[in-house]
Amino acid sequence: MKVLEVIKQGGAAFKDVLPPMAILCVFNCISAFVMLMLIGLNPTPDKIAEIAGPMVIVFLLMMLTWIFIEGGLFSSVLSVLKTGSLNMGEFISNCSKYFLRLLGLNIIGGLITILFWIVGAFLTGIFIAFGGGDNIFFNIIGGIVLLLTLIAVAIVAMPILISQYFTVINNIGVRDSLARSFSFIKKYFWKTVGVFFLLAICIFVVSFFVNMIASLLGNAIQGMGAAAISIILTSLVNGAIGVFSATCIMIYLLGIIQSEEQPAAAE
């Protein structure tokens, strides 16, 4: 399946997964309003430092809730693509079914990402320090190291992300899903990069226009009203983006799996 075909089919299937999107939008909206109530409008650095502890707790709870929702979302998308039907009655049970496995994969992904960033930042700092911060040559080398770190994080993040889908597609554990994912990336690296790159472009374009609209509304409506409108708008868009991305990635993976199974069945 070609990369553009993945995006096209993702858009076509999008309308069939609107119920999970509604759950995602509600979650985004509640999360944003909780953070707004916590930090207020235009918080000062002192205010942010004062509530840093509660913010970390709320952020962790949000992350755990999002990981919990992922299981239901991925299962819903998989059901629509394979059977053409969606049973929202199984949404919560699927959330629970895959929660611990998805949590483990997210923790592994987070630790690996942090490790890469620490090493990259350390090496970047060393090169910049060699030039005293004013040497163009060492600053360029430091920038290159930082760029390579970003690329390395993206490359490692792809199999970690895809492993979450394989967990649901094949109903397998953390170790098996990681092994399946890394094997998949090794075989279809550039095609996978193409899918993620095109998705990133779509997300960037949509986010750009939404932020522009939110900014215009903020200039027209001041105070809490502007914040509320911005939260609702971005929650809807982010929910749509999340479901659209999950649908496209699931279509891509299922397409590859089916193409691999067809020759085996013919034999």
Side-chain angles (χ1 to χ4, degrees):
M1 183 183 297
K2 295 181 180 180
V3 173
L4 287 175
E5 187 65 21
V6 170
I7 303 301
K8 182 180 178 181
Q9 289 191 22
F14 179 75
K15 65 181 183 301
D16 297 322
V17 284
L18 292 181
M21 191 193 88
I23 293 176
L24 224 59
C25 291
V26 171
F27 165 72
N28 291 336
C29 201
I30 292 175
S31 300
F33 273 112
V34 168
M35 291 301 293
L36 178 63
M37 294 299 102
L38 188 62
I39 65 177
L41 288 172
N42 304 315
T44 63
D46 290 339
K47 172 68 173 179
I48 294 176
E50 179 183 339
I51 60 173
M55 282 181 63
V56 170
I57 294 174
V58 170
F59 178 75
L60 289 176
L61 289 175
M62 289 178 182
M63 287 297 298
L64 289 173
T65 305
W66 164 246
I67 295 170
F68 181 77
I69 292 175
E70 274 187 326
L73 171 61
F74 294 165
S75 298
S76 298
V77 173
L78 180 64
S79 176
V80 167
L81 295 178
K82 294 191 74 172
T83 68
S85 63
L86 175 63
N87 184 2
M88 287 301 293
E90 298 178 352
F91 187 88
I92 297 299
S93 62
N94 284 326
C95 289
S96 303
K97 178 179 179 180
Y98 297 106
F99 174 66
L100 290 179
R101 283 176 276 180
L102 293 176
L103 176 62
L105 289 169
N106 276 275
I107 290 174
I108 291 172
L111 291 175
I112 292 176
T113 300
I114 291 172
L115 178 62
F116 270 79
W117 276 119
I118 290 175
V119 173
F122 177 73
L123 293 175
T124 300
I126 288 178
F127 281 110
I128 293 177
F130 279 157
D134 299 321
N135 188 294
I136 296 179
F137 173 76
F138 283 109
N139 287 347
I140 291 175
I141 296 298
I144 292 174
V145 171
L146 196 58
L147 177 62
L148 292 175
T149 301
L150 178 62
I151 294 173
V153 168
I155 291 174
V156 173
M158 281 195 303
I160 298 295
L161 175 60
I162 288 178
S163 66
Q164 299 177 44
Y165 289 85
F166 279 127
T167 296
V168 176
I169 292 173
N170 300 121
N171 191 19
I172 52 180
V174 172
R175 182 183 300 178
D176 291 336
S177 60
L178 283 172
R180 179 78 174 87
S181 181
F182 276 99
S183 175
F184 180 89
I185 290 294
K186 183 179 179 181
K187 191 173 182 179
Y188 301 102
F189 177 78
W190 289 112
K191 195 170 185 178
T192 306
V193 169
V195 171
F196 277 93
F197 181 72
L198 195 55
L199 271 176
I201 292 176
C202 294
I203 292 171
F204 173 79
V205 171
V206 172
S207 299
F208 174 80
F209 283 106
V210 170
N211 288 331
M212 185 171 65
I213 293 172
S215 178
L216 292 174
L217 289 173
N219 293 332
I221 307 171
Q222 302 297 321
M224 191 63 72
I229 292 174
S230 178
I231 285 174
I232 294 172
L233 180 61
T234 54
S235 295
L236 289 172
V237 172
N238 289 336
I241 287 174
V243 172
F244 175 70
S245 300
T247 304
C248 288
I249 295 173
M250 191 71 78
I251 286 173
Y252 169 61
L253 296 177
L254 289 177
I256 296 293
I257 291 172
Q258 289 172 2
S259 66
E260 290 180 340
E261 289 176 348
Q262 285 174 357
E267 292 176 2

